[in-house]
Amino acid sequence: MTTAIDQIAPITHMTDAGEVATGAYDDLIALLETLRGDDWQARTECPAWNVSDMVGHVIGGAKAAASKRELLRQNLYGFRHAREYDGNAMDAYNALQVAEHAALTPAERVAALKALTARAVRGRMRTPAFLRAVSASVKSNGSVVEGMPNKGNFGHLMDVVYTRDVFMHRIDISRAVGRELAPGENDRRIVEDAVGEWARRHQQPVEVVLTGPAGGKFVQGSGGPRIEMDALELCRVLSGRAPGDGLLATKIFF
C-alpha cells in the first residue's frame, strides 16, 4: 500500500507523541542492556563520543525534559559557553551532559535512564502552550549539518525531536557495537513522521520506497524521482550522518 505523504498525521502531544517517546526510550534501554564490557567504549559516528558518552548525553537530555529548571540550567550553560564551541550553544550543553555523567558505570547509566523515562516523557507532554509557540534560530555549524532548518520550534522539540534523538542514538550505538536492530512498529511511526516532515520541507514531487520492518511506500505529487533505500538509512541521511544529494540534501532535526 502506498501512503500519500499529506495523509501522514504528524506526531504531536495531542496525538501519540507520549506513546512514541516512551517506546523510543524503551527500545534504547533494551539495546543498552545487551551491551557488555568494551561495547561501552566503542567509538560512534558522532565525533568525539563513544557509547558511554552518547548515553550520558541522552541521560542529560532526559533530565532536561523532566524538569524545566534543569532545561533552563543546561541552556544557560550553553549560551555562556557557546564561544568555546564556535558559537554553538547546543554543542556546549551537549558537552555538559556528557561531562556530568562521565563517572557513571554502565549499570548506573541504564538505571538512570530507566528512572528518568516516565518523568521525561511526562514533562515534555506537559510543556505549556506559550513555550510550545517559541521558535529560535539555529546556528548552522558544529553538529548542525548543512541543509538543516535555520529555526527550531520548542513544541516540535518536545514532541518529536527529543524522540528522534533517542531513536537515532539507538541506531548509532547498534552500528558502533555491531548489533543488528529489529525495528518495530514504534520505529515505523518515527520514520513515517520524518518522511512527512522532510517532504513538507522540500515540497517537491517524490516517490519514496523504504525497505525493512520500519519501511513503507509514500508519494507526494506525481512525476517526481523515486527514492528507494532502507528506512533506517534514510533517517541517517536526513540527520546528516550519511551523505545525500538531490532531495536528500534537505535535512530535518534528529
Side-chain angles (χ1 to χ4, degrees):
M1 184 180 73
T2 301
T3 301
I5 286 173
D6 63 6
Q7 295 301 304
I8 299 172
I11 294 172
T12 74
H13 66 292
M14 301 296 289
T15 58
D16 55 348
E19 177 185 347
V20 178
T22 299
Y25 276 122
D26 288 346
D27 288 341
L28 174 61
I29 290 167
L31 171 62
L32 297 181
E33 289 181 323
T34 72
L35 303 188
R36 297 292 181 267
D38 291 345
D39 287 342
W40 288 88
Q41 301 307 313
R43 305 308 303 181
T44 73
E45 293 173 317
C46 293
W49 284 2
N50 61 21
V51 171
S52 288
D53 297 330
M54 187 168 279
V55 176
H57 154 67
V58 175
I59 293 169
K63 286 181 175 179
S67 164
K68 296 301 183 286
R69 178 176 294 182
E70 174 64 11
L71 179 69
L72 178 61
R73 183 188 75 87
Q74 291 186 20
N75 276 272
L76 285 175
Y77 178 94
F79 287 119
R80 289 169 179 164
H81 294 266
R83 62 179 172 272
E84 300 165 28
Y85 296 85
D86 195 24
N88 193 309
M90 182 176 67
D91 286 353
Y93 66 67
N94 283 347
L96 174 70
Q97 293 167 349
V98 172
E100 289 190 331
H101 301 98
L104 295 182
T105 67
E108 289 170 338
R109 292 172 194 273
V110 175
L113 271 183
K114 285 183 175 180
L116 282 164
T117 294
R119 287 193 294 125
V121 174
R122 187 164 56 247
R124 287 163 52 188
M125 298 305 106
R126 291 178 176 175
T127 301
F130 75 91
L131 278 180
R132 288 184 171 278
V134 173
S135 293
S137 60
V138 177
K139 193 169 179 64
S140 57
N141 69 341
S143 59
V144 180
V145 301
E146 185 177 351
M148 287 283 186
N150 57 18
K151 277 194 173 183
N153 173 263
F154 196 75
H156 186 57
L157 172 70
M158 290 294 160
D159 289 354
V160 174
V161 179
Y162 265 131
T163 297
R164 288 181 187 163
D165 186 65
V166 174
F167 164 78
M168 284 306 307
H169 288 323
R170 174 166 142 256
I171 296 173
D172 295 331
I173 291 168
S174 72
R175 290 172 61 86
V177 301
R179 294 282 198 287
E180 281 284 336
L181 288 183
E185 185 64 21
N186 203 64
D187 298 309
R188 191 199 65 78
R189 180 68 175 118
I190 294 170
V191 170
E192 74 168 9
D193 181 72
V195 170
E197 182 181 338
W198 164 74
R200 288 190 297 273
R201 273 208 75 207
H202 65 66
Q203 297 186 327
Q204 300 300 310
V206 65
E207 179 185 7
V208 183
V209 179
L210 300 180
T211 58
K217 297 180 180 180
F218 308 93
V219 65
Q220 178 165 272
S222 61
R226 177 185 172 96
I227 296 174
E228 184 168 355
M229 62 196 306
D230 177 76
L232 301 188
E233 186 64 17
L234 175 76
C235 293
R236 294 187 67 247
V237 172
L238 298 186
S239 70
R241 285 165 169 80
D245 54 16
L247 295 180
L248 293 176
T250 299
K251 310 301 182 187
I252 58 175
F253 291 125
F254 268 90

PDB file of all heavy atoms in Angstrom, residues 72-97:
ATOM      1  N   LEU A  72      16.444  24.891  31.751  1.00  0.00           N
ATOM      2  CA  LEU A  72      16.952  26.255  31.762  1.00  0.00           C
ATOM      3  C   LEU A  72      18.422  26.283  32.149  1.00  0.00           C
ATOM      4  O   LEU A  72      19.222  26.999  31.532  1.00  0.00           O
ATOM      5  CB  LEU A  72      16.127  27.108  32.730  1.00  0.00           C
ATOM      6  CG  LEU A  72      16.566  28.559  32.894  1.00  0.00           C
ATOM      7  CD1 LEU A  72      16.481  29.298  31.560  1.00  0.00           C
ATOM      8  CD2 LEU A  72      15.720  29.250  33.960  1.00  0.00           C
ATOM      9  N   ARG A  73      18.792  25.486  33.156  1.00  0.00           N
ATOM     10  CA  ARG A  73      20.200  25.451  33.595  1.00  0.00           C
ATOM     11  C   ARG A  73      21.116  25.024  32.458  1.00  0.00           C
ATOM     12  O   ARG A  73      22.149  25.645  32.199  1.00  0.00           O
ATOM     13  CB  ARG A  73      20.363  24.491  34.779  1.00  0.00           C
ATOM     14  CG  ARG A  73      21.781  24.443  35.348  1.00  0.00           C
ATOM     15  CD  ARG A  73      21.930  23.348  36.383  1.00  0.00           C
ATOM     16  NE  ARG A  73      22.002  22.025  35.801  1.00  0.00           N
ATOM     17  CZ  ARG A  73      23.131  21.436  35.385  1.00  0.00           C
ATOM     18  NH1 ARG A  73      24.291  22.077  35.489  1.00  0.00           N
ATOM     19  NH2 ARG A  73      23.100  20.226  34.879  1.00  0.00           N
ATOM     20  N   GLN A  74      20.734  23.961  31.761  1.00  0.00           N
ATOM     21  CA  GLN A  74      21.571  23.473  30.674  1.00  0.00           C
ATOM     22  C   GLN A  74      21.660  24.489  29.536  1.00  0.00           C
ATOM     23  O   GLN A  74      22.735  24.705  28.961  1.00  0.00           O
ATOM     24  CB  GLN A  74      21.041  22.138  30.157  1.00  0.00           C
ATOM     25  CG  GLN A  74      21.199  20.984  31.134  1.00  0.00           C
ATOM     26  CD  GLN A  74      20.793  19.654  30.533  1.00  0.00           C
ATOM     27  OE1 GLN A  74      20.731  19.490  29.320  1.00  0.00           O
ATOM     28  NE2 GLN A  74      20.493  18.679  31.393  1.00  0.00           N
ATOM     29  N   ASN A  75      20.537  25.105  29.211  1.00  0.00           N
ATOM     30  CA  ASN A  75      20.557  26.086  28.125  1.00  0.00           C
ATOM     31  C   ASN A  75      21.357  27.329  28.486  1.00  0.00           C
ATOM     32  O   ASN A  75      22.066  27.877  27.628  1.00  0.00           O
ATOM     33  CB  ASN A  75      19.130  26.443  27.718  1.00  0.00           C
ATOM     34  CG  ASN A  75      18.535  25.457  26.730  1.00  0.00           C
ATOM     35  OD1 ASN A  75      18.683  25.607  25.524  1.00  0.00           O
ATOM     36  ND2 ASN A  75      17.890  24.423  27.239  1.00  0.00           N
ATOM     37  N   LEU A  76      21.266  27.771  29.730  1.00  0.00           N
ATOM     38  CA  LEU A  76      22.074  28.916  30.157  1.00  0.00           C
ATOM     39  C   LEU A  76      23.558  28.584  30.072  1.00  0.00           C
ATOM     40  O   LEU A  76      24.370  29.414  29.644  1.00  0.00           O
ATOM     41  CB  LEU A  76      21.694  29.327  31.584  1.00  0.00           C
ATOM     42  CG  LEU A  76      20.374  30.080  31.728  1.00  0.00           C
ATOM     43  CD1 LEU A  76      20.057  30.323  33.203  1.00  0.00           C
ATOM     44  CD2 LEU A  76      20.407  31.401  30.973  1.00  0.00           C
ATOM     45  N   TYR A  77      23.905  27.365  30.465  1.00  0.00           N
ATOM     46  CA  TYR A  77      25.302  26.933  30.325  1.00  0.00           C
ATOM     47  C   TYR A  77      25.708  26.980  28.850  1.00  0.00           C
ATOM     48  O   TYR A  77      26.802  27.447  28.506  1.00  0.00           O
ATOM     49  CB  TYR A  77      25.478  25.518  30.866  1.00  0.00           C
ATOM     50  CG  TYR A  77      26.887  24.990  30.698  1.00  0.00           C
ATOM     51  CD1 TYR A  77      27.823  25.121  31.719  1.00  0.00           C
ATOM     52  CD2 TYR A  77      27.296  24.364  29.513  1.00  0.00           C
ATOM     53  CE1 TYR A  77      29.117  24.652  31.565  1.00  0.00           C
ATOM     54  CE2 TYR A  77      28.585  23.907  29.349  1.00  0.00           C
ATOM     55  CZ  TYR A  77      29.489  24.049  30.375  1.00  0.00           C
ATOM     56  OH  TYR A  77      30.778  23.590  30.206  1.00  0.00           O
ATOM     57  N   GLY A  78      24.828  26.508  27.993  1.00  0.00           N
ATOM     58  CA  GLY A  78      25.136  26.508  26.571  1.00  0.00           C
ATOM     59  C   GLY A  78      25.406  27.903  26.036  1.00  0.00           C
ATOM     60  O   GLY A  78      26.389  28.122  25.312  1.00  0.00           O
ATOM     61  N   PHE A  79      24.562  28.856  26.394  1.00  0.00           N
ATOM     62  CA  PHE A  79      24.760  30.229  25.927  1.00  0.00           C
ATOM     63  C   PHE A  79      26.043  30.833  26.491  1.00  0.00           C
ATOM     64  O   PHE A  79      26.770  31.543  25.790  1.00  0.00           O
ATOM     65  CB  PHE A  79      23.558  31.095  26.290  1.00  0.00           C
ATOM     66  CG  PHE A  79      22.343  30.814  25.448  1.00  0.00           C
ATOM     67  CD1 PHE A  79      21.164  30.364  26.026  1.00  0.00           C
ATOM     68  CD2 PHE A  79      22.374  30.984  24.064  1.00  0.00           C
ATOM     69  CE1 PHE A  79      20.044  30.097  25.252  1.00  0.00           C
ATOM     70  CE2 PHE A  79      21.266  30.717  23.281  1.00  0.00           C
ATOM     71  CZ  PHE A  79      20.098  30.267  23.887  1.00  0.00           C
ATOM     72  N   ARG A  80      26.335  30.532  27.749  1.00  0.00           N
ATOM     73  CA  ARG A  80      27.518  31.112  28.389  1.00  0.00           C
ATOM     74  C   ARG A  80      28.819  30.531  27.854  1.00  0.00           C
ATOM     75  O   ARG A  80      29.867  31.185  27.887  1.00  0.00           O
ATOM     76  CB  ARG A  80      27.441  30.910  29.903  1.00  0.00           C
ATOM     77  CG  ARG A  80      26.372  31.762  30.575  1.00  0.00           C
ATOM     78  CD  ARG A  80      26.143  31.332  32.006  1.00  0.00           C
ATOM     79  NE  ARG A  80      25.135  32.169  32.659  1.00  0.00           N
ATOM     80  CZ  ARG A  80      24.516  31.855  33.794  1.00  0.00           C
ATOM     81  NH1 ARG A  80      24.797  30.699  34.406  1.00  0.00           N
ATOM     82  NH2 ARG A  80      23.630  32.677  34.325  1.00  0.00           N
ATOM     83  N   HIS A  81      28.763  29.300  27.380  1.00  0.00           N
ATOM     84  CA  HIS A  81      29.986  28.626  26.923  1.00  0.00           C
ATOM     85  C   HIS A  81      30.002  28.397  25.413  1.00  0.00           C
ATOM     86  O   HIS A  81      30.882  27.681  24.917  1.00  0.00           O
ATOM     87  CB  HIS A  81      30.140  27.288  27.654  1.00  0.00           C
ATOM     88  CG  HIS A  81      30.379  27.436  29.125  1.00  0.00           C
ATOM     89  ND1 HIS A  81      31.637  27.460  29.676  1.00  0.00           N
ATOM     90  CD2 HIS A  81      29.513  27.603  30.164  1.00  0.00           C
ATOM     91  CE1 HIS A  81      31.537  27.616  30.988  1.00  0.00           C
ATOM     92  NE2 HIS A  81      30.260  27.710  31.310  1.00  0.00           N
ATOM     93  N   ALA A  82      29.078  29.008  24.698  1.00  0.00           N
ATOM     94  CA  ALA A  82      28.977  28.785  23.257  1.00  0.00           C
ATOM     95  C   ALA A  82      30.264  29.131  22.526  1.00  0.00           C
ATOM     96  O   ALA A  82      30.656  28.448  21.574  1.00  0.00           O
ATOM     97  CB  ALA A  82      27.813  29.582  22.677  1.00  0.00           C
ATOM     98  N   ARG A  83      30.941  30.189  22.970  1.00  0.00           N
ATOM     99  CA  ARG A  83      32.150  30.605  22.250  1.00  0.00           C
ATOM    100  C   ARG A  83      33.239  29.544  22.289  1.00  0.00           C
ATOM    101  O   ARG A  83      34.132  29.538  21.446  1.00  0.00           O
ATOM    102  CB  ARG A  83      32.675  31.931  22.803  1.00  0.00           C
ATOM    103  CG  ARG A  83      33.086  31.914  24.248  1.00  0.00           C
ATOM    104  CD  ARG A  83      33.614  33.291  24.662  1.00  0.00           C
ATOM    105  NE  ARG A  83      33.841  33.385  26.096  1.00  0.00           N
ATOM    106  CZ  ARG A  83      32.910  33.746  26.964  1.00  0.00           C
ATOM    107  NH1 ARG A  83      31.679  34.039  26.541  1.00  0.00           N
ATOM    108  NH2 ARG A  83      33.178  33.814  28.249  1.00  0.00           N
ATOM    109  N   GLU A  84      33.178  28.634  23.267  1.00  0.00           N
ATOM    110  CA  GLU A  84      34.147  27.538  23.334  1.00  0.00           C
ATOM    111  C   GLU A  84      33.839  26.470  22.285  1.00  0.00           C
ATOM    112  O   GLU A  84      34.649  25.563  22.057  1.00  0.00           O
ATOM    113  CB  GLU A  84      34.131  26.921  24.733  1.00  0.00           C
ATOM    114  CG  GLU A  84      34.494  27.891  25.848  1.00  0.00           C
ATOM    115  CD  GLU A  84      34.127  27.367  27.220  1.00  0.00           C
ATOM    116  OE1 GLU A  84      34.103  26.120  27.383  1.00  0.00           O
ATOM    117  OE2 GLU A  84      33.850  28.185  28.110  1.00  0.00           O
ATOM    118  N   TYR A  85      32.667  26.564  21.672  1.00  0.00           N
ATOM    119  CA  TYR A  85      32.223  25.586  20.672  1.00  0.00           C
ATOM    120  C   TYR A  85      31.833  26.307  19.390  1.00  0.00           C
ATOM    121  O   TYR A  85      30.800  26.014  18.782  1.00  0.00           O
ATOM    122  CB  TYR A  85      31.050  24.764  21.235  1.00  0.00           C
ATOM    123  CG  TYR A  85      31.442  23.943  22.422  1.00  0.00           C
ATOM    124  CD1 TYR A  85      31.437  24.502  23.704  1.00  0.00           C
ATOM    125  CD2 TYR A  85      31.887  22.634  22.288  1.00  0.00           C
ATOM    126  CE1 TYR A  85      31.838  23.770  24.813  1.00  0.00           C
ATOM    127  CE2 TYR A  85      32.286  21.889  23.384  1.00  0.00           C
ATOM    128  CZ  TYR A  85      32.255  22.467  24.643  1.00  0.00           C
ATOM    129  OH  TYR A  85      32.660  21.734  25.735  1.00  0.00           O
ATOM    130  N   ASP A  86      32.675  27.248  18.994  1.00  0.00           N
ATOM    131  CA  ASP A  86      32.476  28.019  17.764  1.00  0.00           C
ATOM    132  C   ASP A  86      31.107  28.699  17.735  1.00  0.00           C
ATOM    133  O   ASP A  86      30.480  28.816  16.688  1.00  0.00           O
ATOM    134  CB  ASP A  86      32.649  27.109  16.545  1.00  0.00           C
ATOM    135  CG  ASP A  86      32.831  27.895  15.240  1.00  0.00           C
ATOM    136  OD1 ASP A  86      33.263  29.062  15.308  1.00  0.00           O
ATOM    137  OD2 ASP A  86      32.506  27.353  14.172  1.00  0.00           O
ATOM    138  N   GLY A  87      30.645  29.134  18.890  1.00  0.00           N
ATOM    139  CA  GLY A  87      29.391  29.857  18.971  1.00  0.00           C
ATOM    140  C   GLY A  87      28.148  29.007  19.018  1.00  0.00           C
ATOM    141  O   GLY A  87      27.036  29.529  19.013  1.00  0.00           O
ATOM    142  N   ASN A  88      28.289  27.670  19.074  1.00  0.00           N
ATOM    143  CA  ASN A  88      27.131  26.781  19.042  1.00  0.00           C
ATOM    144  C   ASN A  88      26.728  26.394  20.464  1.00  0.00           C
ATOM    145  O   ASN A  88      27.372  25.553  21.102  1.00  0.00           O
ATOM    146  CB  ASN A  88      27.451  25.536  18.215  1.00  0.00           C
ATOM    147  CG  ASN A  88      26.206  24.733  17.879  1.00  0.00           C
ATOM    148  OD1 ASN A  88      25.423  24.410  18.753  1.00  0.00           O
ATOM    149  ND2 ASN A  88      26.035  24.409  16.611  1.00  0.00           N
ATOM    150  N   ALA A  89      25.651  27.003  20.957  1.00  0.00           N
ATOM    151  CA  ALA A  89      25.203  26.751  22.329  1.00  0.00           C
ATOM    152  C   ALA A  89      24.750  25.309  22.520  1.00  0.00           C
ATOM    153  O   ALA A  89      24.953  24.722  23.587  1.00  0.00           O
ATOM    154  CB  ALA A  89      24.068  27.710  22.679  1.00  0.00           C
ATOM    155  N   MET A  90      24.140  24.708  21.497  1.00  0.00           N
ATOM    156  CA  MET A  90      23.692  23.329  21.598  1.00  0.00           C
ATOM    157  C   MET A  90      24.872  22.387  21.816  1.00  0.00           C
ATOM    158  O   MET A  90      24.812  21.474  22.649  1.00  0.00           O
ATOM    159  CB  MET A  90      22.917  22.916  20.357  1.00  0.00           C
ATOM    160  CG  MET A  90      22.384  21.497  20.413  1.00  0.00           C
ATOM    161  SD  MET A  90      21.368  21.064  18.984  1.00  0.00           S
ATOM    162  CE  MET A  90      22.611  21.090  17.685  1.00  0.00           C
ATOM    163  N   ASP A  91      25.953  22.595  21.081  1.00  0.00           N
ATOM    164  CA  ASP A  91      27.127  21.753  21.270  1.00  0.00           C
ATOM    165  C   ASP A  91      27.698  21.923  22.670  1.00  0.00           C
ATOM    166  O   ASP A  91      28.213  20.968  23.264  1.00  0.00           O
ATOM    167  CB  ASP A  91      28.189  22.082  20.221  1.00  0.00           C
ATOM    168  CG  ASP A  91      27.828  21.542  18.842  1.00  0.00           C
ATOM    169  OD1 ASP A  91      26.832  20.799  18.738  1.00  0.00           O
ATOM    170  OD2 ASP A  91      28.536  21.863  17.873  1.00  0.00           O
ATOM    171  N   ALA A  92      27.592  23.142  23.215  1.00  0.00           N
ATOM    172  CA  ALA A  92      28.103  23.395  24.560  1.00  0.00           C
ATOM    173  C   ALA A  92      27.302  22.625  25.599  1.00  0.00           C
ATOM    174  O   ALA A  92      27.874  21.963  26.480  1.00  0.00           O
ATOM    175  CB  ALA A  92      28.080  24.889  24.859  1.00  0.00           C
ATOM    176  N   TYR A  93      25.979  22.686  25.529  1.00  0.00           N
ATOM    177  CA  TYR A  93      25.224  21.962  26.572  1.00  0.00           C
ATOM    178  C   TYR A  93      25.225  20.457  26.335  1.00  0.00           C
ATOM    179  O   TYR A  93      25.118  19.674  27.286  1.00  0.00           O
ATOM    180  CB  TYR A  93      23.827  22.524  26.791  1.00  0.00           C
ATOM    181  CG  TYR A  93      22.794  22.427  25.709  1.00  0.00           C
ATOM    182  CD1 TYR A  93      22.261  21.209  25.303  1.00  0.00           C
ATOM    183  CD2 TYR A  93      22.270  23.582  25.126  1.00  0.00           C
ATOM    184  CE1 TYR A  93      21.278  21.135  24.336  1.00  0.00           C
ATOM    185  CE2 TYR A  93      21.283  23.523  24.154  1.00  0.00           C
ATOM    186  CZ  TYR A  93      20.791  22.297  23.768  1.00  0.00           C
ATOM    187  OH  TYR A  93      19.810  22.225  22.806  1.00  0.00           O
ATOM    188  N   ASN A  94      25.396  20.005  25.095  1.00  0.00           N
ATOM    189  CA  ASN A  94      25.587  18.567  24.874  1.00  0.00           C
ATOM    190  C   ASN A  94      26.863  18.079  25.554  1.00  0.00           C
ATOM    191  O   ASN A  94      26.897  17.000  26.164  1.00  0.00           O
ATOM    192  CB  ASN A  94      25.665  18.273  23.377  1.00  0.00           C
ATOM    193  CG  ASN A  94      24.306  18.297  22.695  1.00  0.00           C
ATOM    194  OD1 ASN A  94      23.265  18.297  23.345  1.00  0.00           O
ATOM    195  ND2 ASN A  94      24.310  18.330  21.375  1.00  0.00           N
ATOM    196  N   ALA A  95      27.925  18.884  25.461  1.00  0.00           N
ATOM    197  CA  ALA A  95      29.187  18.527  26.115  1.00  0.00           C
ATOM    198  C   ALA A  95      29.022  18.494  27.630  1.00  0.00           C
ATOM    199  O   ALA A  95      29.609  17.638  28.318  1.00  0.00           O
ATOM    200  CB  ALA A  95      30.276  19.520  25.718  1.00  0.00           C
ATOM    201  N   LEU A  96      28.221  19.423  28.159  1.00  0.00           N
ATOM    202  CA  LEU A  96      27.940  19.415  29.600  1.00  0.00           C
ATOM    203  C   LEU A  96      27.244  18.123  30.003  1.00  0.00           C
ATOM    204  O   LEU A  96      27.590  17.510  31.032  1.00  0.00           O
ATOM    205  CB  LEU A  96      27.058  20.615  29.950  1.00  0.00           C
ATOM    206  CG  LEU A  96      26.554  20.675  31.394  1.00  0.00           C
ATOM    207  CD1 LEU A  96      27.714  20.972  32.342  1.00  0.00           C
ATOM    208  CD2 LEU A  96      25.452  21.724  31.543  1.00  0.00           C
ATOM    209  N   GLN A  97      26.268  17.692  29.227  1.00  0.00           N
ATOM    210  CA  GLN A  97      25.547  16.455  29.532  1.00  0.00           C
ATOM    211  C   GLN A  97      26.496  15.261  29.601  1.00  0.00           C
ATOM    212  O   GLN A  97      26.391  14.415  30.494  1.00  0.00           O
ATOM    213  CB  GLN A  97      24.469  16.219  28.478  1.00  0.00           C
ATOM    214  CG  GLN A  97      23.347  17.239  28.501  1.00  0.00           C
ATOM    215  CD  GLN A  97      22.472  17.180  27.257  1.00  0.00           C
ATOM    216  OE1 GLN A  97      22.820  16.509  26.264  1.00  0.00           O
ATOM    217  NE2 GLN A  97      21.341  17.855  27.288  1.00  0.00           N
TER     218      GLN A  97
END
